[in-house]
Amino acid sequence: MKKFSEPLIIIISVYTRIPMPMVYWNDNNLKYAFCFLPAAGLIAGAAQAAWTAIVCIAGISPVLGAAVACAVPLLVTGGIHIDGFSDTMDALSSHAERQKKLEIMDDPHIGAFGVMWIIVYMMIYAASYYEILTFAASESRLIGILILLTAFPVISRAAAALAISTTAPSKEKGMLYTFMSAANMKAVGAASAAAIIISMFAVACVSPVSAAVSAVLTVMLFMYFRRMAIKEFGGISGDLCGWLIQMTELLLTAAAALSLGTVIL
């Protein structure tokens, strides 16, 4: 039990704001840590689903609900993934050489392009979530919507874990490199693939169309991400994983908003 409980504690303590007991970051604990990255997504998804239920049941304005929904993931994760997203957008927007891009991502200061892309991201997410909220006003539809909102963050973290298990690191330093150096990549890959399959099945139970669209978008984004990470940065990094997580969630949420008429629960 300790073999798996302590890696889970490490992941939750790093990728959420939930207080956890102290455990050692030794090779044994880091070996399977990324197998539990989807669990951090489950926590984020459950929080978003809980807020959605409150908005619908209490009759809160969808506009206010959508605005707060943009903040919920930040409150759960501490903003670690959106920080990686902004750093990546700053680096990509520089159109500089690879080494300069890596230096930009290491810079703790946010650039103008990072700010602009965060604004664009939040606008699209808020609009998509607003459409989902208005559709979920019916109690018969609410359960299906809650399943979708819970599944999407799991899929995004599982996609990131799968990328970690199949892509070399862009640099031999940093927290991600520490994890990757000790990780059992076969176990991480198998666990992340299983999490994606289970989550997609849950989405399919709600809407086969949404599941098909989500699967296609996830695969396409994953393939683009690996190609981009290797070409532009020489491999994967924590910031790049944050970009993948955020973009996966945004694409799946927007796709769900566009295919709401196919929800069957």
Side-chain angles (χ1 to χ4, degrees), residues 8-53:
L8 175 61
I9 289 172
I10 290 175
I11 287 296
I12 294 177
S13 66
V14 172
Y15 294 106
T16 77
R17 301 292 291 174
I18 298 176
M20 300 298 292
M22 181 72 69
V23 297
Y24 290 107
W25 284 41
N26 53 41
D27 287 348
N28 287 333
N29 286 337
L30 297 181
K31 187 176 183 179
Y32 298 106
F34 274 131
C35 294
F36 297 98
L37 188 57
L42 181 62
I43 294 172
Q48 194 68 284
W51 170 244
T52 304

Side-chain angles (χ1 to χ4, degrees), residues 9 36 62 76 95 142 154 247:
I9 289 172
F36 297 98
V76 174
H95 300 288
L142 179 58
V154 176
M247 286 301 298

Side-chain angles (χ1 to χ4, degrees), residues 15 34 164 169 173-181 236-238 241:
Y15 294 106
F34 274 131
I164 290 168
K173 62 178 181 178
M175 184 172 65
L176 182 66
Y177 180 74
T178 300
F179 276 97
M180 293 181 70
S181 297
I236 201 169
S237 70
C241 287

Side-chain angles (χ1 to χ4, degrees), residues 6-7 51 56 63 69 72 89 91 111 131 153-154 169 179-180 189 199 210 215 235:
E6 292 193 349
W51 170 244
C56 294
V63 175
V72 169
M89 294 310 299
E131 292 296 322
V154 176
F179 276 97
M180 293 181 70
S199 299
S210 291

